[in-house]
Amino acid sequence: MKNSEFENILDECLERLDRGETLEQCLQSYPEQAAQLEPLLQMAQAVRKASAILPRSEFKARARYEFRSALRAGATKKRQSLFSLRPRWAVALMVVSILLIVGGGTAVAASNSMPNNPLYPVKLAAEQVQLTLTPSNMGKARLCAMLADRRVAEIICMADKGDVRQVEILTQRLDERLEMLAILVSVEKLEVPAVESVPRAPTEELAPPPAPSEEARGEGDVYTRANGRARLRIIVAGCACNHPAALRAALGKAPESAKPALRRAIFISEIGYERALAALD
Amino acid sequence: MQNEESLVRRAQQRDERAFAQLYEEYFDKIYRYVTLKIGDRMEAEDITQQVFLNAIKAIPSFKWRGIPFSAWLFRIAHNQVVDFLRRKSKRATTPLEESLVASNYDSQIYDPQLIAEQRLDIERLLVATRKLTPAQQEVISLRFAGELPIAQVAKIMGKSEGAVKALQHSAIVALRKAFSVA
């Protein structure tokens, strides 16, 4: 009997045990494999029993409360958000109209503004619209990387001025962008279908998937996305070196009062890029 | 559970009830998966909580393209675990936490003998899973702690169902060997 056939039988028996059938019923269905199956199914039952770990009841209650609070906070924020009340095209139209009214020069000025500038909220709004209107997850992830780059430049500028509050707010925004980047690339990874390979004998690690057939190559989207992912990884790997380094360099020049906030920004950037790179791997 | 696709769509519209239903459905499974992967109760609690907070943030970007919601959620959990393990490798490592089991059964009828047996079972399992390869550990965690069928495990791991069945087989064989020498 081929290994793959036995693996199918083993899995079928595991499913049947999950549905409440007994070990004996499973073994009766496969008398020829019973001797080989029995110890494995017994082991699987022991693993299932041992892994039935329950969360502590007080933790579960606290987690449920915090989850519901976060949901409500999100819903409230969403209700308060002017942009979220409108469809994408309406948001775009509104922002374009604002920019036309205030003039192109203002838009450019806003894009270069720092957090202590009155035009900075326009910059943030434009970024949010850009994110909303970017259709693909990979495109959004690239944009997140670009926005993280901006936040780091702003953190350095604000730390230099000794504006601790702004450094803290910007660090939070940097963390959110890097987290979003990691989540988006993870979602994108799931959406790239796995190439079906021939079932094989039990093995510790699987070989890389076979080279795509001509037919598979016809589904160019998967490969385009794979290339986009590789390019994004290069960008993120560069930022993972440059951003913490730039923040560390700023630490030397920053006023003492801003140093703790800047150290936290360094920590957040290191962790955030590690997380993003792990998601891209 | 009510049709999952409709629940997810409602959750994407910030329907609190729908999201809460998904939360109740997956909370224990995610907790078990994380615990089996890291073997530390306190950290597993923090990570599990963070998985669902991340899911609130990310759910608007979830799209139904043949990917089950569970695969998406477990992928978030997987990333959190990887993130944690990377950070942990930079710090001093801590031994498996004894209290992992000690307070896990507080909601059950108190039976010292039963608790002792269960503690032994979990400790042996945690020790044994550390002898598996990362891919085998992932299959065992998703399949037995996460209670996911092979098709969903395959989606999460980006492998074919045949490959996951092969890994499942080799993992059970390896666990049996590890248990027999423990």
Side-chain angles (χ1 to χ4, degrees):
Chain A
M1 174 184 252
K2 283 182 187 172
N3 271 326
S4 58
E5 285 174 41
F6 182 76
E7 284 150 12
N8 285 334
I9 292 171
L10 175 64
D11 191 59
E12 184 204 308
C13 291
L14 290 173
E15 294 283 353
R16 287 171 59 183
L17 290 175
D18 284 349
R19 289 197 298 265
E21 288 191 42
T22 64
L23 185 66
E24 290 67 33
Q25 284 172 319
C26 292
L27 297 178
Q28 275 168 14
S29 305
Y30 296 101
E32 287 177 24
Q33 289 77 31
Q36 198 184 347
L37 271 175
E38 188 174 11
L40 298 181
L41 294 177
Q42 282 171 341
M43 185 71 241
Q45 282 184 313
V47 172
R48 173 61 53 83
K49 190 178 154 216
S51 60
I53 308 160
L54 290 172
R56 293 178 304 132
S57 50
E58 68 263 30
F59 156 63
K60 217 172 161 179
R62 177 170 50 83
R64 187 183 287 120
Y65 173 78
E66 287 180 15
F67 174 77
R68 294 206 175 205
S69 301
L71 261 184
R72 282 188 198 119
T76 310
K77 203 172 158 190
K78 199 173 164 71
R79 274 198 295 278
Q80 287 170 347
S81 165
L82 189 64
F83 289 147
S84 63
L85 295 174
R86 292 163 169 78
R88 278 181 177 182
W89 62 267
V91 174
L93 190 64
M94 188 167 68
V95 170
V96 169
S97 306
I98 291 168
L99 291 179
L100 284 174
I101 292 163
V102 298
T106 309
V108 173
S111 71
N112 295 324
S113 65
M114 285 290 154
N116 54 355
N117 187 300
L119 288 176
Y120 188 73
V122 178
K123 178 182 181 178
L124 289 185
E127 286 177 1
Q128 192 52 50
V129 169
Q130 213 180 337
L131 262 176
T132 308
L133 294 182
T134 303
S136 70
N137 285 331
M138 196 49 84
K140 280 188 168 74
R142 272 197 300 274
L143 190 53
C144 282
M146 195 186 87
L147 298 180
D149 189 63
R150 282 189 193 171
R151 296 298 88 88
V152 169
E154 290 162 2
I155 289 170
I156 292 169
C157 177
M158 291 297 107
D160 193 44
K161 292 183 192 304
D163 193 334
V164 178
R165 180 82 188 116
Q166 282 298 346
V167 172
E168 286 170 350
I169 293 169
L170 290 164
T171 300
Q172 179 63 34
R173 288 191 183 129
L174 173 67
D175 191 31
E176 284 168 10
R177 284 293 158 249
L178 293 176
E179 188 181 3
M180 189 177 180
L181 196 164
I183 291 170
L184 286 166
V185 294
S186 301
V187 172
E188 183 71 21
K189 199 178 198 172
L190 274 174
E191 288 173 357
V192 177
V195 180
E196 188 77 9
S197 61
V198 179
R200 42 184 288 181
T203 176
E204 299 227 318
E205 285 293 341
L206 295 169
S213 64
E214 285 306 313
E215 191 184 357
R217 280 183 198 282
E219 295 165 4
D221 188 39
V222 173
Y223 294 94
T224 309
R225 278 194 273 171
N227 284 337
R229 198 176 178 85
R231 282 200 297 275
L232 179 61
R233 201 192 183 288
I234 293 168
I235 294 168
V236 173
C239 293
C241 293
N242 297 338
H243 287 172
L247 290 166
R248 265 189 226 100
L251 190 63
K253 299 173 200 161
E256 280 306 313
S257 60
K259 284 187 177 176
L262 203 44
R263 283 195 195 97
R264 177 163 161 73
I266 294 168
F267 175 74
I268 291 292
S269 72
E270 284 174 343
I271 292 291
Y273 279 113
E274 269 187 34
R275 186 171 52 205
L277 286 170
L280 277 161
D281 283 340
Chain B
M1 189 172 51
Q2 194 183 332
N3 177 291
E4 190 165 273
E5 186 168 346
S6 115
L7 274 181
V8 172
R9 287 196 198 287
R10 281 169 49 208
Q12 287 181 309
Q13 303 299 317
R14 299 279 164 186
D15 179 330
E16 208 178 302
R17 274 190 186 177
F19 217 142
Q21 221 174 318
L22 291 167
Y23 174 89
E24 297 298 337
E25 172 68 18
Y26 287 105
F27 188 84
D28 285 5
K29 291 176 185 176
I30 294 284
Y31 173 78
R32 282 198 290 267
Y33 165 78
V34 174
T35 305
L36 198 55
K37 295 281 283 188
I38 64 172
D40 183 320
R41 178 174 61 82
M42 295 299 283
E43 297 290 0
E45 290 182 353
D46 287 348
I47 291 172
T48 304
Q49 215 171 338
Q50 196 55 48
V51 167
F52 286 94
L53 296 177
N54 284 351
I56 294 176
K57 286 185 199 167
I59 201 160
S61 68
F62 176 75
K63 288 178 189 136
W64 282 97
R65 287 185 193 160
I67 305 157
F69 174 74
S70 57
W72 179 82
L73 193 60
F74 273 88
R75 168 62 68 179
I76 294 178
H78 170 82
N79 286 343
Q80 285 293 128
V81 167
V82 169
D83 194 18
F84 165 78
L85 293 175
R86 282 190 187 217
R87 268 181 290 155
K88 193 182 173 191
S89 68
K90 287 187 173 176
R91 303 198 300 252
T93 53
T94 50
L96 284 180
E97 197 183 288
E98 265 200 28
S99 64
L100 175 65
V101 192
S103 52
N104 272 336
Y105 298 92
D106 54 2
S107 59
Q108 299 177 359
I109 298 163
Y110 185 74
D111 178 344
Q113 194 182 340
L114 179 70
I115 290 174
E117 281 171 13
Q118 285 168 329
R119 178 184 299 178
L120 192 64
D121 286 345
I122 296 176
E123 282 175 3
R124 287 176 71 198
L125 178 62
L126 287 169
V127 171
T129 53
R130 267 145 192 75
K131 294 180 181 162
L132 304 182
T133 65
Q136 288 173 334
Q137 276 182 30
E138 187 71 359
V139 170
I140 292 296
S141 304
L142 290 169
R143 192 84 173 87
F144 294 97
E147 296 178 9
L148 295 179
I150 284 287
Q152 292 192 23
V153 176
K155 291 266 186 199
I156 294 169
M157 294 182 71
K159 296 182 188 297
S160 68
E161 287 186 26
V164 173
K165 282 179 187 171
L167 272 170
Q168 174 177 259
H169 181 191
S170 67
I172 297 173
V173 170
L175 277 177
R176 190 163 172 263
K177 202 171 157 190
F179 265 73
S180 65
V181 293

